[in-house]
Amino acid sequence: MSEEKMSQNLQSTPYDWFGQLRLQYSDHSVYDYLVVEEKLFTDRWHLWSFALVYGILHNKKEKNKRSTFVPLTQISDNHVRDMIAMCYLLLDDGRTTKEIFSEMNEYADGGVTELNKIFKENKTFTIPNLVKDAGELWNKRVKDLQNINLAKS
């Protein structure tokens, strides 16, 4: 193998931090309800990633005992992988990967709880309605985050 080819294989990717990490949730019954029974999401990791974004956006976190359900490296949808990687970068304030990922799971749990409440109250929800005010909310929310990747203004 040429030296150039070897160096191309060693270049970092946005997913390098995935390592052996696995998505975690605290209440699998909510996932079963929203994914399996109500079929609002095609699988648990789609719900987890949407709940992560929703939790970060609305600053909803829950610290609970969790169980794992899928390794990050086994998520086949590149859009979901990209979203998870962007959320990681958004929360990166210099802590360890383990600490940041733990917080991501807290946000996902908080987001799932909120989404479940919305669904139970309205018997439905549409993703566009849930994120329609996201632009304004992100502008406010991003200022609260102490991200090392964002320019200070």
Side-chain angles (χ1 to χ4, degrees), residues 14-45:
Y15 313 118
D16 287 346
W17 64 272
F18 281 17
Q20 298 298 313
L21 296 172
R22 298 174 67 93
L23 297 184
Q24 302 172 16
Y25 53 20
S26 62
D27 189 352
H28 67 86
S29 65
V30 174
Y31 280 78
D32 289 345
Y33 176 65
L34 295 175
V35 175
V36 179
E37 291 178 41
E38 296 297 332
K39 299 183 182 353
L40 297 173
F41 295 87
T42 55
D43 49 55
R44 287 170 175 81
W45 43 266

Side-chain angles (χ1 to χ4, degrees), residues 130-142:
L130 291 173
V131 297
K132 68 181 174 189
D133 299 324
E136 291 175 29
L137 288 171
W138 277 122
N139 286 334
K140 293 175 187 172
R141 182 73 179 106
V142 77

Side-chain angles (χ1 to χ4, degrees), residues 37-71:
E37 291 178 41
E38 296 297 332
K39 299 183 182 353
L40 297 173
F41 295 87
T42 55
D43 49 55
R44 287 170 175 81
W45 43 266
H46 275 112
L47 172 55
W48 187 94
S49 62
F50 184 74
L52 168 64
V53 172
Y54 193 86
I56 292 171
L57 179 62
H58 294 280
N59 198 20
K60 301 290 183 183
K61 286 199 264 189
E62 291 183 5
K63 293 183 181 197
N64 301 311
K65 184 173 171 62
R66 294 183 187 83
S67 19
T68 61
F69 66 99
V70 67

Side-chain angles (χ1 to χ4, degrees), residues 87-128:
C87 288
Y88 177 87
L89 292 173
L90 183 68
L91 297 172
D92 184 0
D93 57 3
R95 293 173 293 163
T96 66
T97 296
K98 184 178 177 180
E99 292 169 322
I100 295 166
F101 188 65
S102 178
E103 185 176 36
M104 291 171 72
N105 284 298
E106 291 172 12
Y107 278 121
D109 278 351
V112 163
T113 298
E114 290 301 308
L115 293 171
N116 190 42
K117 284 180 192 174
I118 292 166
F119 185 76
K120 284 187 174 185
E121 288 171 11
N122 302 309
K123 301 297 180 218
T124 187
F125 64 70
T126 60
I127 292 176

